[in-house]
């Protein structure tokens, strides 16, 4: 079992920044990926960014490339999503996920999910 706890969401003005954290515990296999997804009201869950647990490979959705950065702190077993130049269309609940063995950008490939953290960007 893997437990994931997100934090860091909130309300920010357009152009601002937030950093989301995902604290992971439990049995995380070396071939796992750690991903961030988001879901806005009335929309499907959308891939944002992912990285291999080893940290060697990172992948960002085109919609956030150049603005968001995924990273991790090995010592803290924590994955981060640094979000800069936020736009109103980034408003969503952001979820951290672990797994992704069959596809880092595919939500269905992740076995473990956090509870989500709300990010609201005002115009």
């Amino acid at each position: 079992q893997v437990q994931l706890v997100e934090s860091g969401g909130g309300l920010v003005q357009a152009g601002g920044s937030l950093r989301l954290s995902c604290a992971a515990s439990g049995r995380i296999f070396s071939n796992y990926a750690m991903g961030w997804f988001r879901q806005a009201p009335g929309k499907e869950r959308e891939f944002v960014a992912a990285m291999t647990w080893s940290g060697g490979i990172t992948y960002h959705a085109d919609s956030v490339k150049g603005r968001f950065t995924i990273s991790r702190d090995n010592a803290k077993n924590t994955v981060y999503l640094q979000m800069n130049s936020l736009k109103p269309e980034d408003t969503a609940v952001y979820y951290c996920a672990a797994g992704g063995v069959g596809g880092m950008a595919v939500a269905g490939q992740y076995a473990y999910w956090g509870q989500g953290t709300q990010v609201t960007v005002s115009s």
Side-chain angles (χ1 to χ4, degrees):
Q1 285 286 354
V2 176
Q3 294 78 42
L4 304 171
V5 179
E6 302 104 331
S7 60
L11 173 64
V12 64
Q13 288 188 333
S17 299
L18 282 175
R19 188 178 78 160
L20 305 184
S21 300
C22 173
S25 61
R27 191 171 185 180
I28 301 173
F29 293 99
S30 60
N31 63 338
Y32 275 10
M34 299 297 295
W36 286 98
F37 291 78
R38 66 187 181 186
Q39 189 165 19
K43 294 188 176 181
E44 293 188 353
R45 194 163 293 190
E46 174 190 25
F47 170 73
V48 176
M51 68 187 305
T52 53
W53 185 242
S54 65
I57 299 173
T58 61
Y59 181 37
H60 296 79
D62 288 343
S63 59
V64 305
K65 202 170 291 183
R67 301 188 298 123
F68 293 9
T69 304
I70 189 171
S71 64
R72 69 172 285 216
D73 184 328
N74 291 359
K76 296 182 178 180
N77 268 9
T78 298
V79 176
Y80 302 100
L81 184 67
Q82 178 66 44
M83 306 186 296
N84 299 327
S85 302
L86 282 161
K87 304 175 181 180
E89 51 263 43
D90 294 318
T91 296
V93 177
Y94 283 70
Y95 298 90
C96 175
V101 175
M104 292 171 64
V106 181
Q109 294 295 325
Y110 286 81
Y112 303 99
W113 293 84
Q115 81 286 354
T117 185
Q118 176 71 47
V119 171
T120 302
V121 184
S122 63
S123 57

